[in-house]
Amino acid sequence: MRGFLGSIRTKLIVFSLAGILVSAGVPLFLAVEQYENWYQQFVTQQLNSMTTNMSEDAVPLLIDSDSNIDITTFLLGLERYDNVVFAHLYDADHRLYAQFYNPTLQASEVAQLSRRWNNINAITLGTFVDGNYLVSHKLIGDERLPLGNLLIVNDYQGPLNASISSLSTSIRSYLIASLLMIVIAVYWLQRSTLNPLINLWQFTRKVYASKNYGLRTDVKGRDEVAQLSGSINTLLETIDREITRNQQANQQLQAQQDSMERLANYDVLTGLPNRLFFMELLQIQLKQSQRAQRDLSVMFFDLDGFKQINDVHGHEIGDKLLVAVARRVEKFLRDGDILSRLGGDEFLILLPNNPDKVTLIGIAERLIQALRTPFVVDDWELSISASVGITHATQAEYSLSSMISNADLAMYAAKGKGKNCYALFDAQMEQETVRRIMIANAIESSLELGEFEVHYQMKVNAQQQPIGFEALTRWIHPDMDFISPAEFIPIAERAGKITKITRWMLVRVMRDLPQLIAKIGDHCIVSVNMTTFDLRQKNTAEYVKTLLAQSGIAPNHLEIEVTESAYLDNFAAANAFFTTMQDLGVSIALDDFGTGYSSLSYLTQIDINTLKIDKQFVDLLGKSARGETVTKTIIKLAHQLDLKVCAEGVEYPQQMDILVKLGCDQVQGYLYSKPCRLSEVQSQVDKLTAPAESP
C-alpha cells in the first residue's frame, strides 16, 4: 500500500508539476503570440497609412518637373522614423527618381538591400512581411495613369524582438513568483485535493479559448494552489495592463497621425484648407473638368490695409481679423465652393461646375461688400477692403500654375484700379506682365549704363525766391523709350530693386549738390525720396552718413522725403531712421500728407521738419471753399507743431496767392519750374530771379 501510495504520490506530483507549469506558461505563451499578431497588424497598418499619405503628398512634387530638390527633402522626412530602412521613389517609367537610406546603415548593407529590391516591377503592390522586413509598395497618383511608384521598407523583426523582450522583462518578476509557488505546491501537493488544480486548469483553458485576459480565477484559502491562483491573476493583470497600454499607445499614435494629416492639409489659424491641400484639390478638379470639357473658376483676393492693421494693433488682433474674414466669406459661398488661405492675408476660392460670368461677378461683389463692413475685434473697429482677381480654367488651358498666375495678375490689376474692386483676367494682363518683367530685368544694367537721369524741380519760398530742389528720377531706355516713374518705381519695389535706385540717386545728388548750392546760395536744400523698402534696410542711415562724410557736404543741405503711407508701413523702422537723420543734421519731410489715414495720431509721435501738402488739395484752391478750409487747417496744424509747410503741384498764380495768404512756407510746381537736368537748372533760376521789366 505504501508503495502504491508512493507511486500515486509520485505520479500526482509529476502530473501536478506539469499542470502548474502549463498554467503558468500558457498565458505567457498566448500573450506573446497575441502580442506578435497585434504588433504585425499595427505596424502593417501604420506603414500602409504612411506610404499612402506620402504617395499622395508626392503627386504635386512629381507634377512639377523642377522639384527634384523638394522630392529629396520630402524623403529626408523619413529620418525621424528609426525603423525605416530605405525608401525608393520611381517615376512613371519605373526609373529610380529619388532614394533614402537610414543613416545608420553601412555601405555593404545599402548595396545588399539595393540588390534585393532592385526591380520595382517584381515587387507586389500593397503592404506585406518579407523575412525580417515589412515592405509597402504604392502607386503615386491615379492607378490608371500613375505618376510613379513609392517603395518603403521597414525593419520588422528587430523592433518586434525588442518589444517582446520589454514585455517579458515586465512580467519576469511575476513569473519567478509563480515558479516559487510551483515548488511550494509540489511539496504540499499531497495535502490538497486535485479539484483546485482541475479548476485552475479549466480556467486557463477558458482564458486560452476566449483570449480574454481580463478574466480572474477565484482565490480561496491560503494553500499553495490558492497562492498560485493569485499569482496567475497577477500575471493576467500584468498582461492585460500591457495590452491596454499598447492599445492606448496605438490610439495615441492614430490620433497623432490624424492631427499630422490635419496640420498638413489645413491652416492652423483659420481651419481653412491650406495652400498644399487647395492645389491638390484644384489639380484634381482641373483634370476632371478637362476630361468633361467644362470650365471652372478661381478667385484670388487679398485684404487691402491689413498690413497697417497688423503693424498698428499687433499680430494677435491681425490673426483674429483673419479668422473673422474667413468666417464671413464662408457664409455667402455656394455649396461646393472651396475657400482656402494661401498665406498671410491672401485667400483663394475654387468655384467648380462651370460658373457663368454673371454668377462670378455676383460672388465677387458680395465678397467686396461683405468685407467693406467694419469688423469688431477686441473692441477695436477695423476697416479693410478686398482686391479680387478672377480667372477661368479654359484661359489657363487647364494648367494649375498658369491658372494661379492668371488669378494673381487679375488681383493685382484690381489693386491697380484703386483696390476694393474686382478684375477679370484677360490676355492683355500677360502682355503687361511681360513688360513689367522686362523693366525689372533692365533696372540694374540701365543704372550701370547711365540710362537713368536725375532731374531737379525748384522749390521757392513765399517771396518766390529759390530755396532748394527736389531730386526726381527719370529713365530713358534705348528700346522702351521714356519709362514713367509711376510705372517703373512700383515694379522696382516689387522686384526688390528700388533701394539700388535710391542709393544711385543719393550718390548723384551728393555729386551735384555743390553746383546747386553755388546756383542759389548756401541755404539750398535738396530733397531725395525714400520708399518703404528703403526704410526696411537697417543700413540705410549708415549709408547716408557715409556718403555725407565722403562728399564733405554739410548734412543741412540734404532732406529726406518719405510718403505718409511708407512711414505708416514701417512705423518703428521709420522712427528709428528719422531720429538718426535728425541727430546727423539731415531734415525730414513727410510727403503726400492727408492722403493716408490716421495721420493726426502720428504727427505727435514722429520727428520731422516739413509737411508737404499733396497736389490734390492744391488743385481745389480757388474752386472749393471746403478744399481751401482743409488746406488752411493743415497749415495751421503744422505751424502749431513747429513744422514748415510745402505745397506741391502749384500751377497757377491764383493758387500761389491763396497759399501765401494761408501762411504756406514753400511751394513747388510748374508755375516756377518743371523738373529739369542739372545743366538746365541755371536757366530756371535766372528766369525766377530776373528783375521784372518796367512797364
Side-chain angles (χ1 to χ4, degrees):
M1 178 63 68
R2 184 176 297 177
F4 174 75
L5 291 176
S7 176
I8 293 297
R9 183 178 299 168
T10 301
K11 291 180 180 179
L12 184 60
I13 291 173
V14 172
F15 288 142
S16 298
L17 183 59
I20 293 171
L21 287 173
V22 170
S23 298
V26 166
L28 177 61
F29 171 78
L30 294 177
V32 173
E33 181 183 22
Q34 183 64 32
Y35 185 79
E36 289 182 5
N37 292 335
W38 283 342
Y39 177 84
Q40 180 177 346
Q41 293 174 7
F42 171 73
V43 297
T44 300
Q45 181 182 4
Q46 187 181 40
L47 180 59
N48 185 67
S49 298
M50 182 177 72
T51 310
T52 300
N53 290 338
M54 289 187 66
S55 64
E56 292 174 356
D57 292 342
V59 169
L61 301 179
L62 286 180
I63 290 175
D64 185 356
S65 61
D66 295 330
S67 62
N68 187 44
I69 295 177
D70 292 334
I71 285 286
T72 303
T73 305
F74 171 69
L75 290 181
L76 284 176
L78 293 171
E79 286 185 342
R80 64 179 181 271
Y81 300 105
D82 296 333
N83 297 334
V84 174
V85 179
F86 76 92
H88 285 176
L89 191 145
Y90 298 84
D91 61 18
D93 296 324
H94 297 157
R95 293 175 300 194
L96 184 61
Y97 191 68
Q99 59 186 349
F100 165 81
Y101 284 92
N102 194 301
T104 62
L105 293 177
Q106 300 295 327
S108 60
E109 293 175 310
V110 171
Q112 182 181 359
L113 292 171
S114 298
R115 289 193 300 272
R116 181 169 179 176
W117 283 288
N118 63 349
N119 185 3
I120 191 64
N121 295 316
I123 301 175
T124 305
L125 287 172
T127 303
F128 52 91
V129 176
D130 185 357
N132 293 333
Y133 299 96
L134 184 62
V135 181
S136 185
H137 179 199
K138 299 287 183 180
L139 294 177
I140 299 175
D142 193 323
E143 63 181 2
R144 295 169 295 181
L145 190 60
L147 299 174
N149 300 66
L150 178 63
L151 177 68
I152 299 179
V153 176
N154 267 24
D155 182 6
Y156 172 75
Q157 196 62 42
L160 174 60
N161 292 339
S163 183
I164 291 175
S165 176
S166 176
L167 177 63
S168 300
T169 300
S170 66
I171 64 177
R172 184 178 300 162
S173 60
Y174 298 105
L175 185 59
I176 293 173
S178 298
L179 293 176
L180 289 175
M181 291 300 101
I182 290 174
V183 174
I184 297 172
V186 170
Y187 180 76
W188 295 101
L189 187 59
Q190 67 273 20
R191 298 178 56 185
S192 63
T193 65
L194 294 177
N195 285 339
L197 293 178
I198 293 173
N199 292 337
L200 192 58
W201 177 77
Q202 290 175 342
F203 171 74
T204 58
R205 293 278 297 179
K206 185 177 181 180
V207 172
Y208 177 78
S210 65
K211 302 294 191 295
N212 182 4
Y213 300 99
L215 296 175
R216 299 293 179 266
T217 182
D218 292 334
V219 180
K220 297 179 180 180
R222 297 182 179 178
D223 59 13
E224 291 81 355
V225 176
Q227 294 177 14
L228 179 59
S229 298
S231 297
I232 291 176
N233 282 344
T234 303
L235 179 62
L236 291 175
E237 287 175 3
T238 302
I239 295 172
D240 190 46
R241 186 166 55 250
E242 289 297 322
I243 290 173
T244 301
R245 187 178 300 168
N246 286 332
Q247 290 174 343
Q248 291 173 346
N250 291 346
Q251 293 173 356
Q252 185 177 4
L253 287 173
Q254 185 62 46
Q256 290 175 350
Q257 182 177 348
D258 294 341
S259 176
M260 290 174 62
E261 289 180 1
R262 181 157 189 84
L263 288 174
N265 295 323
Y266 291 88
D267 176 51
V268 176
L269 178 64
T270 62
L272 298 175
N274 61 17
R275 178 190 182 99
L276 178 62
F277 191 25
F278 182 87
M279 295 304 176
E280 291 176 355
L281 291 175
L282 179 57
Q283 182 67 55
I284 294 171
Q285 288 283 345
L286 286 171
K287 289 182 178 179
Q288 293 176 349
S289 297
Q290 187 174 22
R291 287 195 297 266
Q293 290 298 300
R294 66 173 184 269
D295 206 355
L296 63 85
S297 298
V298 163
M299 284 186 182
F300 191 146
F301 74 92
D302 81 347
L303 307 179
D304 307 320
F306 176 76
K307 186 180 186 304
Q308 288 80 1
I309 291 175
N310 225 14
D311 291 342
V312 173
H313 298 283
H315 290 284
E316 183 178 356
I317 295 295
D319 287 347
K320 291 181 179 180
L321 177 59
L322 290 174
V323 174
V325 167
R327 300 293 85 81
R328 187 177 291 184
V329 173
E330 285 177 322
K331 291 180 180 178
F332 64 81
L333 294 181
R334 309 170 305 165
D335 290 340
D337 294 345
I338 299 174
L339 174 64
S340 167
R341 183 186 176 206
L342 187 63
D345 63 336
E346 295 180 333
F347 295 83
L348 286 167
I349 304 176
L350 172 60
L351 303 113
N353 302 323
N354 199 18
D356 56 35
K357 184 177 180 180
V358 174
T359 300
L360 291 173
I361 292 176
I363 294 174
E365 289 178 342
R366 289 199 301 274
L367 187 154
I368 292 169
Q369 183 61 39
L371 297 183
R372 188 180 295 147
T373 304
F375 292 82
V376 178
V377 178
D378 288 356
D379 297 329
W380 291 97
E381 185 176 288
L382 307 175
S383 296
I384 57 171
S385 61
S387 298
V388 184
I390 307 171
T391 189
H392 296 280
T394 51
Q395 292 175 311
E397 298 181 350
Y398 298 96
S399 165
L400 175 65
S401 59
S402 296
M403 192 167 190
I404 298 300
S405 175
N406 292 348
D408 182 61
L409 290 175
M411 186 268 288
Y412 276 100
K415 282 188 176 293
K417 290 163 59 176
K419 303 180 180 179
N420 194 33
C421 61
Y422 67 86
L424 298 167
F425 173 79
D426 60 47
Q428 180 65 28
M429 294 178 183
E430 289 186 305
Q431 297 176 7
E432 294 171 355
T433 300
V434 172
R435 177 175 171 83
R436 286 197 294 270
I437 293 173
M438 291 175 61
I439 290 174
N441 291 338
I443 288 174
E444 294 182 74
S445 60
S446 291
L447 287 171
E448 294 175 359
L449 295 172
E451 294 168 3
F452 279 87
E453 297 179 353
V454 179
H455 286 207
Y456 295 95
Q457 185 174 31
M458 187 163 44
K459 298 179 183 180
V460 302
N461 59 17
Q463 292 74 40
Q464 303 184 49
Q465 298 170 334
I467 58 172
F469 303 88
E470 179 178 358
L472 301 167
T473 313
R474 295 295 182 263
W475 185 8
I476 301 176
H477 192 274
D479 298 324
M480 293 180 279
D481 299 326
F482 175 75
I483 305 175
S484 169
E487 181 180 15
F488 74 75
I489 288 178
I491 293 173
E493 289 177 344
R494 291 193 66 185
K497 299 180 179 181
I498 190 64
T499 300
K500 294 181 181 295
I501 297 176
T502 301
R503 295 190 174 186
W504 175 86
M505 279 279 292
L506 284 167
V507 172
R508 288 294 303 271
V509 168
M510 293 296 179
R511 188 190 69 181
D512 295 344
L513 251 169
Q515 298 181 58
L516 294 171
I517 294 171
K519 294 181 188 300
I520 67 172
D522 195 53
H523 60 277
C524 175
I525 298 176
V526 178
S527 301
V528 177
N529 292 280
M530 285 195 179
T531 68
T532 180
F533 297 92
D534 299 318
L535 297 180
R536 290 176 188 168
Q537 303 294 324
K538 295 182 178 180
N539 61 344
T540 298
E542 189 62 32
Y543 186 81
V544 174
K545 183 177 180 180
T546 300
L547 283 181
L548 286 169
Q550 291 175 346
S551 65
I553 300 294
N556 64 309
H557 290 297
L558 179 65
E559 181 176 66
I560 301 297
E561 286 193 17
V562 178
T563 64
E564 184 181 15
S565 59
Y567 169 75
L568 294 175
D569 279 347
N570 299 269
F571 183 69
N575 272 346
F577 176 76
F578 288 175
T579 300
T580 303
M581 291 296 99
Q582 294 281 23
D583 292 343
L584 192 62
V586 176
S587 56
I588 303 293
L590 190 63
D591 198 6
D592 297 340
F593 180 76
T595 61
Y597 51 88
S598 303
S599 305
L600 298 181
S601 65
Y602 286 104
L603 282 179
T604 59
Q605 303 179 46
I606 59 178
D607 189 10
I608 60 174
N609 305 95
T610 304
L611 280 185
K612 295 194 72 175
I613 301 176
D614 189 75
K615 185 179 185 297
Q616 69 181 37
F617 296 109
V618 175
D619 289 341
L620 296 175
L621 297 178
K623 300 177 182 178
S624 167
R626 181 172 295 182
E628 185 172 326
T629 300
V630 171
T631 303
K632 179 180 179 181
T633 302
I634 293 174
I635 294 173
K636 186 175 182 180
L637 172 65
H639 286 166
Q640 288 176 340
L641 294 174
D642 198 24
L643 302 177
K644 294 181 180 179
V645 180
C646 178
E648 56 186 354
V650 178
E651 298 180 357
Y652 304 104
Q654 182 185 11
Q655 294 172 336
M656 180 62 178
D657 293 340
I658 295 173
L659 288 168
V660 171
K661 181 184 68 174
L662 295 178
C664 186
D665 303 294
Q666 306 170 6
V667 300
Q668 69 181 94
Y670 284 8
L671 177 63
Y672 297 104
S673 170
K674 292 182 179 181
C676 61
R677 295 182 175 89
L678 179 64
S679 60
E680 301 168 343
V681 167
Q682 188 62 54
S683 63
Q684 297 283 352
V685 173
D686 292 343
K687 288 180 183 179
L688 185 65
T689 57
E693 296 182 2
S694 58

